[in-house]
Amino acid sequence: MRANRIVMDRPGPPSVLRYEQYDVAAPAPREVLIRQTAIGLNYIDIQHRTGRYPLPDYPSPIGLEGAGTIEGVGGNVHEFKRGDRVVYSGMPIGAYADLRLMPADRLVPVPPSISDSVAAGIFTKGITVHYLIFTTFAVKAGDTILVHAAAGGVGRILCQWAKHLGATVIGTVGTAQKAELARAHGCDAAIMYTAEDFVGAVWRLTQGAGVAVVFDSVGKDTFEKSLRCLAPRGLLVSFGTASGPIAPFDVFELNRLDSLYVTSPAFVTHTRDRSELLRRADALFNAVASGIVKISVDRSYPLAEAARAHDDLQSRRTAGISILIP
Ligand SMILES: NC(=O)c1ccc[n+]([C@@H]2O[C@H](COP(=O)([O-])OP(=O)(O)OC[C@H]3O[C@@H](n4cnc5c(N)ncnc54)[C@H](OP(=O)(O)O)[C@@H]3O)[C@@H](O)[C@H]2O)c1
């Protein structure tokens, strides 16, 4: 069957993203054919495009997250049928397409209360937030936490959910407009780290106590300073490197800075087990349905304009959630 997708012939700038027609085979056993209606745009897509996270082969498709309706099922698929609405996040790469095959094991049913656009916009980001604040560091009432890129896709969900759990949430953002958005989505205070040293601001806001945990997705530009924001025995959760890879550092620093902890968790570890994936998805959909996490899709781009979407995300022009529409 003829379909459309984005491919890249080599790593590089947004212009390497090329729109093409391709042939989709009939679903093999345990595979499902999905007519996609919305595709999630994630920072990891930038890392795949630039080659920071290398892809095995070129030309390569791109994209890890999509939602849509099942158009066909292969042999031995009993849990899904034609017409079911589903969402997924993860390998095999190739979500930037209007029609694609996916293993049934990775699919999650979308509840009627959630649109395809919202499902594709929140699935990766919201499940990431779920494991970060319930598993990596169990956020609870009374905690003061620091969240970098607080107005971003992951950041905005994290701040709202952590606030609901009773935490005091300090966010960092790049612009005054993003500071306003962060405050409207769960942040008690938003520090503009392009204008003010965020370490000093955190110590001022916490009256010298520091924070229990830093959720740091920025990496190179923030890592060392994030350590300096922590209370004794605090945890730095380094879960992304939007500004580039973190320089090697001496683990003894953790001792010197009052017995700190550092971890670098991955989405795949927290969703490999299907029951864990379904449990986290259920919690996320419930958080959205009950209004704990308020979601709007901030930007939609035609799939053919994926390069423009990449440019906006990488240039820090986006806030919140962006999707591609086939
Ligand atoms: N480990 C995991 O399981 C996992 C899963 C999902 C996502 N992630 C990570 O979580 C992060 C957020 O993902 P997202 O898709 O929601 O993206 P996003 O936060 O919406 O976009 C990235 C944001 O990072 C900030 N930033 C700071 N320095 C930057 C730089 N030099 N270049 C670009 N951006 C910079 C910008 O916000 P300001 O303008 O406010 O600074 C930018 O808007 C990414 O690092 C991603 O890789 C990790």
Side-chain angles (χ1 to χ4, degrees), residues 296-309:
S296 55
V297 172
D298 300 271
R299 289 176 187 231
S300 300
Y301 301 83
L303 175 59
E305 292 178 30
R308 184 164 63 85

Side-chain angles (χ1 to χ4, degrees), residues 150-152 156 172-185 190-192 194 298-299 316-320:
R156 214 187 270 194
T172 71
V173 290
T175 66
Q177 194 198 1
K178 287 186 180 182
E180 213 170 288
L181 286 168
R183 280 191 294 268
H185 293 87
I191 304 165
M192 216 168 88
T194 42
D298 300 271
R299 289 176 187 231
R316 306 168 71 164
R317 280 194 289 273
T318 63

Side-chain angles (χ1 to χ4, degrees), residues 43 128 131 152-154 173-174 178 193 217 239-240 242-243 265 267 316:
Y43 210 85
T128 299
Y131 87 68
V154 170
V173 290
K178 287 186 180 182
Y193 57 157
S217 65
F239 70 100
S243 66
F267 180 92
R316 306 168 71 164

Side-chain angles (χ1 to χ4, degrees), residues 45-108:
D45 304 343
I46 308 282
Q47 320 267 35
H48 282 142
R49 195 204 71 230
T50 58
R52 161 132 170 72
Y53 299 162
L55 295 169
D57 216 1
Y58 292 95
S60 174
I62 180 167
L64 294 175
E65 179 179 40
T69 303
I70 293 181
E71 203 159 285
V73 295
N76 212 15
V77 175
H78 306 295
E79 65 274 50
F80 295 108
K81 60 180 187 318
R82 201 180 146 89
D84 286 352
R85 292 172 60 232
V86 290
V87 63
Y88 64 84
S89 171
M91 293 291 188
I93 201 156
Y96 287 17
D98 52 9
L99 191 64
R100 76 163 303 186
L101 295 167
M102 269 301 285
D105 296 341
R106 296 307 303 169
L107 304 182
V108 172

Side-chain angles (χ1 to χ4, degrees), residues 105-318:
D105 296 341
R106 296 307 303 169
L107 304 182
V108 172
V110 179
S113 62
I114 308 264
S115 69
D116 287 4
S117 296
V118 166
I122 61 165
F123 199 65
T124 305
K125 298 171 183 74
I127 286 186
T128 299
V129 168
H130 186 268
Y131 87 68
L132 289 175
I133 65 172
F134 289 101
T135 305
T136 309
F137 181 98
V139 172
K140 59 184 186 320
D143 288 336
T144 302
I145 74 170
L146 177 64
V147 182
H148 290 311
V154 170
R156 214 187 270 194
I157 299 173
L158 202 165
C159 293
Q160 292 183 76
W161 213 337
K163 180 73 188 163
H164 171 79
L165 294 172
T168 300
V169 183
I170 304 174
T172 71
V173 290
T175 66
Q177 194 198 1
K178 287 186 180 182
E180 213 170 288
L181 286 168
R183 280 191 294 268
H185 293 87
C187 279
D188 295 278
I191 304 165
M192 216 168 88
Y193 57 157
T194 42
E196 181 184 11
D197 173 44
F198 71 80
V199 182
V202 165
W203 286 98
R204 174 171 48 75
L205 289 163
T206 60
Q207 281 102 40
V211 296
V213 60
V214 181
F215 293 104
D216 187 342
S217 65
V218 172
K220 177 168 158 275
D221 292 352
T222 47
F223 181 81
E224 291 220 4
K225 288 183 165 190
S226 293
L227 289 175
R228 285 167 216 287
C229 295
L230 286 166
R233 294 191 275 174
L235 172 67
L236 171 50
V237 183
S238 172
F239 70 100
T241 54
S243 66
I246 296 155
F249 95 112
D250 179 1
V251 173
F252 187 69
E253 272 292 283
L254 304 177
N255 169 309
R256 215 178 54 74
L257 291 169
D258 253 340
S259 306
L260 303 182
Y261 297 84
V262 174
T263 185
S264 178
F267 180 92
V268 64
T269 322
H270 296 84
T271 55
R272 191 175 285 133
D273 178 83
R274 180 149 179 86
S275 63
E276 189 171 355
L277 171 69
L278 293 175
R279 178 174 64 78
R280 295 192 192 282
D282 198 42
L284 172 65
F285 293 144
N286 284 334
V288 173
S290 64
I292 291 169
V293 174
K294 292 188 179 60
I295 292 297
S296 55
V297 172
D298 300 271
R299 289 176 187 231
S300 300
Y301 301 83
L303 175 59
E305 292 178 30
R308 184 164 63 85
H310 271 224
D311 193 31
D312 285 348
L313 182 58
Q314 192 172 7
S315 308
R316 306 168 71 164
R317 280 194 289 273
T318 63

